[in-house]
Amino acid sequence: DAGVTQSPTHLIKTRGQQVTLRCSPKSGHDTVSWYQQALGQGPQFIFQYYEEEERQRGNFPDRFSGHQFPNYSSELNVNALLLGDSALYLCASSLGQSPYEQYFGPGTRLTVT
Amino acid sequence: KQEVTQIPAALSVPEGENLVLNCSFTDSAIYNLQWFRQDPGKGLTSLLLIQSSQREQTSGRLNASLDKSSGRSTLYIAASQPGDSATYLCAVRPNYGGSQGNLIFGKGTKLSVKP
């Protein structure tokens, strides 16, 4: 049973560039949530996708956008990168929008120089 | 606004000790509380999930308790081992009048177990 997978593992970008991160949910899950974890901090909720629509959004600017595909996989896009966007980006999957347990992927480490 | 606080921020203990990690939250309207383990630079591994109607959950050497009315949870680790060294994160899922919010995390407690 495959767990949550994310790609790439890490990447380095320059300020002003754009980046796309990818996530495949755990088998049987249909809901994907994205979190940003800065160094030494707890993860912060970015947004959640269910039925290919953004259902909830945290306090992040419009530079952060996403997409969910029919196979439930998801992408996180960040435009006009800032140094402060450097963080570990975590994807979590769950079944539906009920308050069930979320399963997290290994994360993508983004460094903006 | 829900806030989650974890104390202590870091903890170092000798192998074999029993220990308690603390988590407090400001709003008792929650669906559940979850404890996670995070190894350096890695993702989160779920340890225990406690529903709002439950008082505790146990898994092996781990026991988590929840006192929703006082906004507190503890994670008890029995007979600690060097392999338990990691950062432990507490997260609550808010209940917004029947609509669930997404997880709100504390900053974690970094545990080091010395052989």
Side-chain angles (χ1 to χ4, degrees):
Chain A
D1 180 20
V4 180
T5 59
Q6 293 186 243
S7 63
T9 303
H10 56 269
L11 71 167
I12 301 173
K13 290 287 188 178
T14 303
R15 275 180 301 174
Q17 287 188 317
Q18 178 265 345
V19 68
T20 297
L21 311 182
R22 297 176 176 81
C23 171
S24 292
K26 180 179 168 65
S27 178
H29 285 181
D30 57 7
T31 301
V32 173
S33 300
W34 286 92
Y35 293 82
Q36 180 195 66
Q37 185 178 25
L39 200 61
Q41 304 294 314
Q44 287 197 309
F45 172 68
I46 303 175
F47 43 54
Q48 181 189 74
Y49 277 84
Y50 172 67
E51 293 185 334
E52 301 181 48
E53 289 189 14
E54 183 183 294
R55 299 293 179 169
Q56 296 184 40
R57 189 179 182 92
N59 189 25
F60 279 80
D62 292 344
R63 298 187 297 109
F64 289 76
S65 63
H67 187 76
Q68 186 178 35
F69 299 94
N71 68 353
Y72 308 123
S73 66
S74 176
E75 287 182 349
L76 164 65
N77 300 295
V78 187
N79 294 323
L81 284 167
L82 304 174
L83 294 179
D85 295 331
S86 296
L88 181 67
Y89 288 84
L90 296 164
C91 167
S93 74
S94 56
L95 180 61
Q97 290 190 288
S98 298
Y100 294 141
E101 190 170 0
Q102 285 190 336
Y103 292 81
F104 282 78
T108 293
R109 170 70 62 185
L110 172 65
T111 301
V112 182
T113 62
Chain B
K1 178 187 173 187
Q2 178 74 268
E3 293 184 1
V4 179
T5 303
Q6 292 187 245
I7 296 173
L11 181 63
S12 182
V13 301
E15 182 177 4
E17 269 202 12
N18 302 323
L19 56 99
V20 174
L21 307 182
N22 296 293
C23 172
S24 61
F25 46 97
T26 55
D27 189 337
S28 62
I30 63 171
Y31 269 111
N32 54 44
L33 181 146
Q34 205 165 348
W35 282 94
F36 294 89
R37 168 185 172 138
Q38 185 174 33
D39 293 293
K42 305 294 185 182
L44 308 183
T45 300
S46 179
L47 299 174
L48 291 164
L49 172 71
I50 311 177
Q51 300 294 351
S52 62
S53 58
Q54 298 176 321
R55 294 300 298 257
E56 66 178 337
Q57 283 285 346
T58 298
S59 176
R61 295 183 293 109
L62 305 179
N63 175 276
S65 67
L66 174 63
D67 184 343
K68 200 173 69 164
S69 61
S70 68
R72 296 185 182 191
S73 176
T74 60
L75 178 66
Y76 175 82
I77 302 177
S80 59
Q81 303 170 358
D84 295 330
S85 298
T87 295
Y88 291 80
L89 292 158
C90 167
V92 300
R93 184 177 298 281
N95 180 349
Y96 298 129
S99 174
Q100 61 147 339
N102 266 277
L103 292 175
I104 298 175
F105 285 83
K107 293 183 178 181
T109 293
K110 185 175 182 179
L111 173 65
S112 177
V113 181
K114 306 295 186 183

